[in-house]
Amino acid sequence: MGKEKIILTGDRPTGRLHIGHFVGSLRRRVELQDSGLFDKMFVFIADSQALTDNVDNPEKVRQNVIEVALDYLACGLDPAKATIFIQSQIPELCELTFYYMNLVTVSRLQRNPTVKSEIQMRNFETSIPVGFFTYPISQTADITAFRATTVPVGEDQEPMLEQAREIVRRFNYLYGETLVEPEILLPENAACLRLPGTDGKAKMSKSLGNCIYLSDEADDIQKKIMSMYTDPDHLRVQDPGKLEGNTVFTYLDAFSRPEHFELYLPDYPNLDELKAHYQRGGLGDVKVKRFLNSIMQDLLTPIRERRKEFEQDIPSIYEMLQNGCEVARAAAAETLSDVKNAMKINYFDDKDLIEEQVKRFQK
Ligand code: ATP
Ligand code: MG
């Protein structure tokens, strides 16, 4: 089976992308794209999936497709190296989903912890749309259609990848080796696995409104950082402070590098020393937040500026997406054809079939 190394990832067009996406997946994608270690890379905007929980708001999804595309380009995804496409434009994915549905039980989907928590978050308990409930299956179609070997995502996607691997194994067991089993690639830095929101909530998420967006203006970034959640018991500068659950320090874990200390906080040789001082007492939140702000501005200014350049030529971005869809469709069609052959639903391509049937009825 395919020895090619192929990357696939995507994002839901439910909002602009934020720094959680950046550390959870986007930064890694750009590195992998430029590493030369992979044969192909597919990145897609998951509009069909976004519609599973935004069925009443297609306009939101439509508007955010271009926002996500702009964020991709601003971060350095390069259409010359990666195929960027829109999920709904690849009908082969629906066909694959339909066939995979028979390989999964309802109770297995109900046990998926990500689906469980997302159902809770959206207050779907009593009225879960079937499409939403089954989105792990459609995600398996996305991954397998492109024969992805490697899926760089945040920790919340782990159950999805496990589900995909199960479906692949079951398909291959029933119908013969056809699909490629994907591997998840999680961020190396623990703080990036699931970046918390600025409100200290478990996850920065477009749907929770606790985000610093890649495209935020400098003063918005500063305002968000200066009002971030820290240690609620750290009232006076001289008080000892806690690091656990302190979002400012989690962000420093995710974003700070040694050169930031040289540049902006030369009194401290590294993050460990800064943390130790905070825990001892005598270090105020404002100083730490200002330091974080300098780091974030350094990171986000060039991204925002590149985005503004791409915003000057919107038609060419749609053209790039359309080209990406064509390439993606061709790739997905090959896999679909393999799947249909394996499942024996290839009546008009199988030359022996008619011959066989002729003989059967001649008896
Ligand atoms: P929504 O609330 O609409 O689900 P989201 O913010 O969760 O949006 P997705 O489009 O679902 O974003 O996720 C896209 C990718 O970004 C996935 O790989 C996911 O793991 C990663 N990701 C999203 N949020 C975070 C986060 N806070 N920390 C790390 N990775 C994240
Ligand atoms: Mg999500």
Side-chain angles (χ1 to χ4, degrees):
M1 237 185 341
K3 288 182 185 56
E4 277 185 317
K5 292 178 85 177
I6 300 177
I7 298 171
L8 174 116
T9 48
D11 304 272
R12 293 150 43 89
T14 48
R16 291 175 287 148
L17 298 185
H18 54 64
I19 59 174
H21 297 120
F22 186 78
V23 292
S25 173
L26 207 43
R27 175 166 68 185
R28 193 58 160 301
R29 290 180 214 174
V30 177
E31 284 166 13
L32 295 173
Q33 164 196 274
D34 295 333
S35 71
L37 296 172
F38 288 82
D39 299 292
K40 282 183 203 152
M41 176 154 174
F42 294 93
V43 180
F44 71 104
I45 302 176
D47 61 338
S48 310
Q49 194 195 110
L51 284 167
T52 64
D53 58 330
N54 287 282
V55 69
D56 53 351
N57 202 352
E59 193 56 34
K60 169 173 146 190
V61 173
R62 181 187 181 81
Q63 297 299 334
N64 281 306
V65 166
I66 187 80
E67 299 280 3
V68 171
L70 284 165
D71 285 327
Y72 283 169
L73 297 170
C75 286
L77 281 180
D78 177 356
K81 297 180 188 159
T83 300
I84 304 175
F85 67 95
I86 308 175
Q87 184 187 27
S88 62
Q89 304 306 299
I90 319 298
E92 287 78 6
L93 298 176
C94 298
E95 273 192 77
L96 288 173
T97 303
F98 190 71
Y99 297 127
Y100 295 169
M101 281 188 170
N102 301 318
L103 306 175
V104 184
T105 63
V106 171
S107 65
R108 175 64 183 88
L109 284 176
Q110 278 167 335
R111 282 201 309 275
N112 184 314
T114 303
V115 175
K116 260 194 198 165
S117 73
E118 289 182 340
I119 284 172
Q120 239 169 18
M121 220 171 85
R122 290 165 175 77
N123 295 319
F124 273 162
E125 281 88 351
T126 49
S127 53
I128 309 165
V130 173
F132 182 82
F133 184 62
T134 57
Y135 92 75
I137 305 174
S138 104
Q139 222 162 295
T140 303
D142 303 332
I143 296 168
T144 54
F146 302 98
R147 301 181 177 141
T149 51
T150 313
V151 184
V153 284
E155 197 182 35
D156 60 312
Q157 293 301 307
E158 231 170 350
M160 301 300 160
L161 260 291
E162 201 35 57
Q163 183 95 72
R165 291 161 62 88
E166 279 176 34
I167 292 175
V168 167
R169 286 198 286 262
R170 187 144 166 76
F171 188 101
N172 288 347
Y173 171 76
L174 288 172
Y175 306 122
E177 285 293 310
T178 310
L179 302 173
V180 177
E181 207 173 308
E183 305 272 355
I184 191 169
L185 190 62
L186 291 169
E188 279 153 13
N189 180 338
C192 302
L193 286 171
R194 183 180 300 242
L195 196 75
T198 51
D199 55 359
K201 292 240 173 74
K203 180 176 174 260
M204 180 174 286
S205 162
K206 287 172 252 153
S207 310
L208 294 175
N210 57 6
C211 305
I212 295 177
Y213 292 100
L214 295 174
S215 49
D216 274 346
E217 292 297 336
D219 47 344
D220 290 329
I221 297 166
Q222 186 173 357
K223 263 187 235 145
K224 288 181 184 179
I225 290 174
M226 296 317 284
S227 58
M228 259 172 77
Y229 183 86
T230 56
D231 169 6
D233 299 325
H234 186 237
L235 298 173
R236 293 166 308 170
V237 172
Q238 62 268 34
D239 291 339
K242 270 206 307 285
L243 300 176
E244 305 80 56
N246 189 322
T247 316
V248 175
F249 278 96
T250 310
Y251 285 18
L252 287 177
D253 279 329
F255 294 101
S256 75
R257 291 194 309 267
E259 58 264 35
H260 293 133
F261 285 88
E262 281 163 44
L263 265 171
Y264 301 117
L265 218 51
D267 294 348
Y268 298 87
N270 54 43
L271 187 54
D272 287 340
E273 298 285 327
L274 188 73
K275 285 179 176 171
H277 192 187
Y278 191 80
Q279 285 175 302
R280 274 200 310 275
L283 175 58
D285 282 342
V286 171
K287 186 166 178 179
V288 187
K289 285 178 171 176
R290 285 213 182 108
F291 177 49
L292 177 63
N293 181 55
S294 306
I295 295 173
M296 296 314 298
Q297 300 290 354
D298 271 8
L299 173 72
L300 297 176
T301 305
I303 293 177
R304 184 173 60 242
E305 284 171 359
R306 264 200 308 274
R307 195 186 205 269
K308 288 198 169 129
E309 283 170 34
F310 286 111
E311 286 171 5
Q312 301 312 305
D313 192 1
I314 294 295
S316 79
I317 295 173
Y318 280 105
E319 200 179 311
M320 175 280 285
L321 290 170
Q322 197 173 1
N323 290 337
C325 288
E326 275 173 37
V327 174
R329 258 202 99 167
E334 276 186 36
T335 304
L336 179 61
S337 163
D338 291 350
V339 160
K340 289 168 95 171
N341 282 333
M343 294 182 73
K344 302 194 175 294
I345 42 181
N346 56 347
Y347 314 105
F348 309 120
D349 298 331
D350 180 356
K351 292 190 188 66
D352 300 333
L353 173 69
I354 299 178
E355 207 44 43
E356 260 171 48
Q357 297 299 330
V358 169
K359 279 197 199 122
R360 189 158 79 88
F361 286 97
Q362 270 170 351
K363 273 193 243 161

